[in-house]
Amino acid sequence: MNLQAFAEAPLVIQIHALSAGCGLITGLSLLLLPRGRKAHRTLGMITAVFLAIATLSAAFIFQLNDGEPSLIHALIPVAALGLFGVSMGVARKNWKRHKNAGRGLIYGALLIPGILAFTPDRLLNIVAFG
């Protein structure tokens, strides 16, 4: 494990990685908690904050493509729409929409980009495997 590489990464990448990691942990925890209870609602709001920070910070990361947006930037609107869908599902008490948007957010905005973050020469790969 190479934590020095993480410490030397730009601040926006550190913020993004930490918020996305925390969002992934809390988001996956939501799948295990009983729905509708205070713990689920509280953890859901915390997860939404983590994901909003990860989404916003992603818009300022340009190291992957020599200062230009990369293909992974296409997932920023996906994450934003997912957060909107989760919120609107709760606001309208449309639990099916809430559930589908939440799962889509976890898979489409966290797991897929998270897996891509472990490709060679990416920060998480360097931190995890040296």
Side-chain angles (χ1 to χ4, degrees):
M1 183 164 281
N2 182 0
L3 294 177
Q4 184 66 29
F6 184 79
E8 293 172 355
L11 180 62
V12 69
I13 292 177
Q14 293 175 2
I15 291 169
H16 178 74
L18 289 173
S19 61
C22 291
L24 179 61
I25 291 166
T26 57
L28 291 174
S29 299
L30 285 169
L31 298 176
L32 303 174
L33 288 174
R35 301 329 177 241
R37 302 262 167 84
K38 186 172 184 167
H40 182 85
R41 291 191 305 264
T42 303
L43 195 57
M45 287 186 261
I46 292 168
T47 301
V49 169
F50 283 138
L51 295 180
I53 293 168
T55 302
L56 185 61
S57 63
F60 297 98
I61 298 174
F62 296 105
Q63 285 79 359
L64 190 63
N65 199 23
D66 297 324
E68 297 294 324
S70 64
L71 276 176
I72 204 158
H73 281 89
L75 294 173
I76 294 171
V78 171
L81 289 172
L83 282 167
F84 181 76
V86 167
S87 301
M88 291 308 295
V90 170
R92 295 186 175 158
K93 298 187 186 321
N94 182 342
W95 306 121
K96 184 175 181 181
R97 179 180 184 177
H98 174 72
K99 176 182 172 181
N100 290 339
R103 288 189 175 168
L105 193 55
I106 290 171
Y107 298 121
L110 287 172
L111 287 177
I112 293 170
I115 291 167
L116 293 174
F118 280 97
T119 57
D121 297 328
R122 299 281 310 273
L123 180 64
L124 285 183
N125 183 293
I126 294 166
V127 169
F129 305 116

